[in-house]
Amino acid sequence: MRRSNLPAELNRFVGRDAERAELDGLLAEFRLVTVVGVGGVGKSRLAVNVARASQKRYCDGVRLADLARLRDPGLVEHALVEALGLTDQTSRPPREVLVDHLADRTLLLVLDGFEHLVDACADLVRRLLCGAPGLTVLAAGRRPLRLDGEAVLPLPPLSDEDAVRLFTDRAVAARPGFRAEEEGEPVRELCRRLDGIPLALELAAGRLPALTVEQVLSRLDDRFRLLTHGTRGAPARHRTLRTAIGWSHELCTPQERLLWARLSVFAGPFDLDAAEYVCGGPQLPADRVLDVLGGLIAQSVVLREADAAGSRYRMLDTVAAYGAEWLAALGDAERVRRRHRDWYMGLATWCELEWFSPRQAEVAACADGALPNLRAALELCLETPDEAHLAQHMAGTLWFYWVGCGRLAEGRHWLDRALAPGSGPGHEEARLKALWVLGYVAILQGDATAAVRALHECGERAARGRNALALAYTTHRLGCLALLSDEVPRAEELLDGALASYRELGELNSQVLMAQVELAMAKVFRGDLESAVALCEDVREVCEERGERWTRAYALYVLAYAAWTRGDHGEARDLLAECVGIDHAFHDLVGLVLAIELLALVTASEGDPAEAAVLQGAAGSLWEAVGPPLFGSAYFGAPRALCERRAREVLGGERFGAYVAEGGRLSVDAAVARALAGRAGGASAAPADRPRDGSAPAPGTRKPAGSPTGKGGEAAG
């Protein structure tokens, strides 16, 4: 994991020398510091700038959580989990995950834009500071958190000198060749009129390609009286900022104003296709959106940026809030919000279909980039009880993201809400899908009770409605639950039945292939290694044809186990290296921890018990974020038990424990790098390290040293 997720500065930070020094001093003395001020005064920019400069103080890094576009207080904890780069797939509350992760770390957490969620944030920050003595929180918002021990830094507007410097810097970028000294008094007058508010100054500078400073001043003066009558009792500077944004709004063409208002429904970055669909309509045809968007970009109303999913656009929160007020005044907010929801419903559907394709990595990046907007769409679905079925459909459709990209906790949040009693009438097909997806998520979180409840309801409803596909998915997931519960014969029966139903229905996707891999695992546990290999080779072949990588990783895991039992440690290591790489790329901790545990056994069999112990320690740490270690399964725990016994015999208990502790301190990224580094040579495996028939030990069986099956002797190699 990177030490910081702070955004790169796209332009120079100007001025604020005294405030930077004061904030830096407060961070050295207090564990909670809050920068407060009006919108647009530069709170966020100052906090990020000082956080970046003070990174060396925090050995575990600096992380930023931007909460400005979040609306649901219940998502604050999920947002912090995301900001910290955690992938927790358990059913533990996110707050518990955060406290456990931060407990022994020295880290600076920057919270930005929290004021509309102040109660939820204050409660969470209090708990985190109490449970993590090495944590420092730097918050930036319009009001303090009001917690004991909080140091508050009110941020005033820029001084006259800094305001002129900032305006000049941005003016030169907007109009190369601009010289403030030639403009003289008009520049100083403009900065005074805008009260030294950075956002207002930047908006004004953005007009210089079309206007002179004198023209900017005259137009601003014309609009001042018109737009200063804001909310009664609002601070003067707040009204001035509103004036500056309103003045910029007035200078836009009618179509630019209309697009500005409609773009305000986006909760995060958006692409051109989304803008054309959501914002096209009366008075603004979709084919005109690109040209009009270019005008807003030129005026700094919309920012263009690049991410893993390509070119994206976004609006500053204050600018978007102004647009939202205009959209409401136009009486068009409900229509545009529904178009926004429909677009992201369609995007979720497209992603689900494309997940089973060579574009799987692109789909993961797309869903990551769209997450704030997907949340907004889900929230709108849940606002109207009569549309609960839309929330159920969307939350179910995103199964690939919740499960395949390490978002189990957030998926559980939305699925539980969509299926909650009183959520309104639903369409049966949407409810069935949400139920089996909830069962799937709960299984992987180790919450068998919730899984059984959801799958039982799904099975009963599917049987009554004769929905064969939903019944197949229910049977499949019950088979998965039986497998993880060491009920192997039942798992094999259920998975066989699910696969037969899939074939009859013509269903083929990542889920179907996963059922085949899970059946292969059941056969491994029963000692039928030949059948397991055949199943997984078939999965690998289909994955290669379709470009599917996520399920492929699980098939590689089973094939690596087979290679180890044959004594082919080189092939096992190669297969597991590919498996680890795929799982890590998709943030799939379940697959990753299983692969690292098996790789530890391969490493021990190659004659390097110390490195095997390190890998076991790393895997043990990962299990904390996955759920019950090895799902509480003796079958899944067999490689770990054998590896530990052999490494402990060679190293002794004390040295073994030290190496395990070393691995436990590794971050996820470091553990993956360690696993992929491999070994430079190594002794051959002792023959007794391999079972003859490929079977795993029976649950609860004590095995003589040197034989995982309790049979002793050499395996055929």
Side-chain angles (χ1 to χ4, degrees), residues 471-492:
L471 200 55
Y473 278 108
T474 302
T475 303
H476 174 184
R477 288 303 145 209
L478 287 170
C480 177
L481 180 59
L483 180 67
L484 298 182
S485 304
D486 284 343
E487 300 174 18
V488 178
R490 174 170 166 76
E492 196 168 353

Side-chain angles (χ1 to χ4, degrees), residues 43 179 188 323 394 423 483 498 509 522:
K43 304 179 295 294
R179 298 175 65 85
R188 290 188 289 276
M394 191 170 183
S423 57
L483 180 67
N509 53 33

